Amino acid sequence: MNTRYRKTIIAGNWKMNKTATETKKFAEELKPILPKAKRCEVVVCVPACNLSTAVRAFRDMRVSVGAENLYFEKSGAYTGEVSAEMLKDLGVKYVIIGHSERRQLFGETDIIVNKKVHAALEAGLNPIICVGESLEEREMGITLDRITLQVKAALAGVSGDKIRKCVIAYEPIWAIGTGRTATAEQAAEVCNEIRAVIRNMHGARTARSVTIQYGGSMNPSNAEELLAQQDIDGGLIGGAALDPAKFVSIISAANQE
Ligand code: PEP
């Protein structure tokens, strides 16, 4: 983390978990244990149907709400989809784009990710852009090439001032939901490379202002070591973010740095 130049962000990704009732219960349980003074921004990304409940439930806790996806078109005949403008209107601040589950299970390509990033920024949302290599790619020694391509594609055509509004989440696919975490060195190497890619595209000032998270089985016991790395400015957390106590432990680790 480097709080001098950029925001630290601890974000939960609830995936397809929790009903609206359970969302309210989570907020009630979180409230008394959430540290009052936070050196990081706390975000919960929830299923689309629970967004307005979440916006209301977390409002007085200074916890921001994020969506887990959007569609890049503004409106029209796209049954089942939700636009950036609709999210913004609900009071949503962040939106996860290009999560590996969406890339793998729903055919989201780098080109679609780029369109979604543009749509989010145009509506005034902050995209959390996920990038990450598969185990095969890591074993082939092409992790940094894969990540470079994903970052360049996601940010293609985005101006330097808009890139400052983006968060990049490095999420090695082999570490998501597996209990297997990247070592602090592995995560730091890739996050450092992501910043170098942005530096090459838009210069040092823009690159140092971008928040880069690590995601992939982050939990209370490994968060501190991961967050101690210069280029890791927070976490995108799946499983551990569903439990208020574990989520708070990770927030506290970010508060200590
Ligand atoms: C995620 O889904 O973004 C994630 C990091 O999940 P987990 O923490 O469960 O590995």
Side-chain angles (χ1 to χ4, degrees):
M1 285 163 38
N2 186 336
T3 48
R4 183 157 167 225
Y5 294 117
R6 47 194 178 259
K7 214 189 276 186
T8 301
I9 302 175
I10 300 296
N13 172 18
W14 285 8
K15 313 191 186 199
M16 198 173 75
N17 289 298
K18 295 195 191 289
T19 60
T21 307
E22 288 164 344
T23 302
K24 279 189 235 163
K25 186 164 172 276
F26 179 97
E28 280 158 19
E29 287 173 16
L30 184 71
K31 195 170 182 173
I33 57 173
L34 189 68
K36 295 285 167 286
K38 297 189 283 294
R39 292 181 66 201
C40 60
E41 180 168 358
V42 178
V43 183
V44 283
C45 300
V46 307
C49 58
N50 297 339
L51 284 166
S52 48
T53 302
V55 167
R56 275 197 305 276
F58 292 108
R59 186 170 284 150
D60 63 345
M61 275 183 251
R62 294 203 294 126
V63 170
S64 306
V65 173
E68 300 177 12
N69 185 30
L70 53 65
Y71 192 55
F72 52 78
E73 294 291 354
K74 286 195 164 72
S75 63
Y78 306 103
T79 303
E81 294 297 326
V82 174
S83 74
E85 192 64 38
M86 291 169 183
L87 298 176
K88 181 74 182 169
D89 186 60
L90 283 181
V92 169
K93 184 171 175 190
Y94 289 90
V95 57
I96 298 174
I97 296 178
H99 191 280
S100 62
E101 286 151 18
R102 296 219 54 89
R103 292 182 192 253
Q104 289 185 319
L105 303 174
F106 301 98
E108 217 157 276
T109 62
D110 285 332
I111 291 166
I112 294 173
V113 168
N114 177 254
K115 287 185 180 181
K116 290 187 174 189
V117 169
H118 281 278
L121 289 167
E122 204 180 312
L125 295 168
N126 299 81
I128 300 176
I129 304 162
C130 300
V131 296
E133 82 286 4
S134 65
L135 189 57
E136 292 76 18
E137 287 164 341
R138 178 158 281 274
E139 287 171 351
M140 283 162 71
I142 58 168
T143 296
L144 298 184
D145 303 283
R146 186 81 192 96
I147 301 297
T148 299
L149 181 71
Q150 287 178 329
V151 173
K152 280 187 173 172
L155 298 179
V158 178
S159 63
D161 61 317
K162 289 271 174 65
I163 284 177
R164 289 161 189 258
K165 297 186 177 10
C166 297
V167 175
I168 312 287
Y170 167 51
E171 298 209 308
I173 298 169
W174 47 271
I176 296 179
T178 58
R180 191 174 161 194
T181 319
T183 63
E185 293 72 32
Q186 287 172 325
E189 182 195 25
V190 178
C191 292
N192 184 278
E193 178 68 15
I194 292 170
R195 204 174 302 287
V197 172
I198 300 172
R199 192 181 306 120
N200 288 338
M201 291 169 84
H202 291 281
R205 282 181 69 135
T206 299
R208 78 178 181 202
S209 69
V210 175
T211 297
I212 301 176
Q213 299 174 313
Y214 168 78
S217 300
M218 191 185 259
N219 60 52
S221 47
N222 60 29
E224 203 176 318
E225 192 189 0
L226 287 159
L227 295 171
Q229 309 304 309
Q230 266 290 311
D231 283 307
I232 302 182
D233 312 307
L236 183 57
I237 301 126
L242 294 171
D243 177 330
K246 288 186 187 160
F247 193 44
V248 164
S249 294
I250 298 172
I251 294 164
S252 302
N255 260 354
Q256 272 169 30
E257 290 299 319

